[in-house]
Amino acid sequence: MNIDELKSVAQAIVARQKGILAADESNPTIKKRFDPIGVESTEENRRRYREILFTTEGIERYIGGVILFDETLRQSSRDGIPFAHLLSGRGIIPGIKVDKGAKALALHPGNKVTEGLDGLRDRLAEYKQLGAKFAKWRAVIEIDEQNVPSAYAIRANAHALARYAALCQEADIVPIVEPEVLMDGAHDIQRCNVITSQMLESVFSELNAHGVLYEGMLLKPNMVIPGMKCPQRTSAEEVAQASVRCLRRYVPAAVPGIVFLSGGQSAEDATDNLNAMNAMDANPPWQLSFSYGRALQAPVLTAWKGQESNVAEAQRAFSKRCQLNGLAREGIYSRAMENR
């Protein structure tokens, strides 16, 4: 394990004003994104869409890393430059999604566990050769008001995250550890806080047991936020206070950065909530940053619509979202900036 390399990569991804573009949608997921804009999910359309994102001018100021899907890591630009090399040449670190998705957890109805550990050591070696310097594994934690998640589901997912993280560091790849407590459902912010706390406590217990170097990893958690069907609405300040309080209790200060997922929030809400955290907490022990998928890409898809004539407009939309989230990293974003 090259400790210095792991540390430097992790720190570079969350350097000042920077965060992560999550462009690791599986083929079924990207189809869901393309369907509303009338674009067929062919390999070439997926390649072209990602190329539009990766070649947008100036994004290297705000994007420290990009999470790629297996197919995308093997693709190239129109000029024949492999995407990993294209990104690296712009000072953006390429990463790779390595999990195989969440499946039903046997004997625990309503709970899921993420699969993909079998063969992971060999896959990581190949991804390293293809240019990936970090990886991502997502655990999916659903909530109901009583019995989900089960205590065992939390432990099983935490254990898998730790095994994945250890394998990554063995291969000199920075692991992004993603325990996502879903926003689906009617649970309130207090219920989200309870489950997020339990999940983080279990995750770091397992990471410690597996010998994972905290300084050479990043955490990608959900924000502490009510479910989308909850009648209770919360302000950005309330989400920020609940989230940072929870993280301060359970995340070691040695972790270089926390890169929040957007989890179904609107682009504006995700930026606003991140901004509130950085505006509120002037001296957190870790960088508070972003690893957004839909919250960065939704305006791009709306502008693009699969038409080459719309590429410039789509790239302007992407550039704007990157810049606004870079400002949120400093706690100086405001909703008024959305209309400029």
Side-chain angles (χ1 to χ4, degrees), residues 29-313:
T29 299
I30 199 69
K31 183 179 184 301
K32 293 178 183 177
R33 306 284 183 264
F34 280 0
D35 283 348
I37 60 170
V39 175
E40 186 181 358
S41 183
T42 63
E43 182 177 353
E44 171 54 23
N45 284 342
R46 294 191 294 269
R47 188 207 64 80
R48 179 58 180 148
Y49 171 62
R50 267 65 180 254
E51 182 178 30
I52 290 168
L53 295 173
F54 304 160
T55 57
T56 298
E57 185 176 353
I59 60 168
E60 62 272 13
R61 181 175 174 183
Y62 308 107
I63 300 297
V66 175
I67 310 171
L68 304 171
F69 186 57
D70 180 275
E71 175 186 81
T72 317
L73 182 62
R74 303 175 193 279
Q75 290 176 328
S76 300
S77 70
R78 284 178 168 177
D79 299 330
I81 304 171
F83 281 147
H85 295 170
L86 186 153
L87 292 167
S88 295
R90 303 188 65 186
I92 299 171
I93 299 173
I96 179 71
K97 172 186 176 179
V98 299
D99 68 72
K100 297 288 189 178
K103 306 293 172 59
L105 181 60
L107 306 183
H108 287 259
N111 293 273
K112 294 181 178 180
V113 67
T114 300
E115 299 182 348
L117 289 170
D118 288 351
L120 180 56
R121 179 180 274 122
D122 293 337
R123 287 191 290 127
L124 287 169
E126 181 188 14
Y127 289 145
K128 182 77 171 177
Q129 288 186 328
L130 289 170
K133 294 186 178 181
F134 71 96
K136 190 205 81 166
W137 179 289
R138 174 180 179 244
V140 178
I141 308 299
E142 297 189 9
I143 302 184
D144 68 13
E145 293 307 305
Q146 296 179 332
N147 302 318
V148 176
S150 68
Y152 177 70
I154 289 175
R155 291 203 308 275
N157 278 287
H159 183 79
L161 281 165
R163 284 188 60 193
Y164 139 81
L167 285 164
C168 284
Q169 291 190 341
E170 177 188 75
D172 294 328
I173 289 175
V174 170
I176 293 185
V177 174
E178 181 179 359
E180 180 179 2
V181 176
L182 294 180
M183 280 180 64
D184 303 339
H187 57 275
D188 61 18
I189 194 170
Q190 289 79 16
R191 174 73 171 155
C192 182
N193 178 69
V194 168
I195 301 304
T196 302
S197 297
Q198 292 174 357
M199 192 67 208
L200 290 175
E201 184 175 29
S202 186
V203 163
F204 280 98
S205 175
E206 289 287 350
L207 289 170
N208 182 61
H210 282 72
V212 172
L213 178 76
Y214 293 159
E215 292 88 346
M217 63 162 280
L218 296 171
L219 178 70
K220 181 173 178 176
N222 54 282
M223 297 178 188
V224 176
I225 198 166
M228 288 187 285
K229 297 177 183 176
C230 178
Q232 174 197 48
R233 292 297 92 198
T234 50
S235 66
E237 288 70 26
E238 289 171 310
V239 171
Q241 289 169 1
S243 299
V244 173
R245 182 171 61 243
C246 180
L247 292 165
R248 279 189 172 274
R249 287 174 176 168
Y250 297 103
V251 181
V255 175
I258 294 171
V259 289
F260 290 98
L261 56 91
S262 50
Q265 300 178 66
S266 71
E268 296 82 4
D269 285 348
T271 306
D272 206 5
N273 289 334
L274 177 64
N275 181 78
M277 291 182 214
N278 282 297
M280 175 193 76
D281 200 329
N283 191 31
W286 357 254
Q287 294 295 311
L288 292 171
S289 188
F290 60 91
S291 178
Y292 292 164
R294 276 174 288 179
L296 283 173
Q297 296 183 50
V300 185
L301 289 163
T302 300
W304 177 49
K305 298 184 179 69
Q307 303 297 318
E308 283 298 311
S309 58
N310 294 333
V311 167
E313 183 181 352

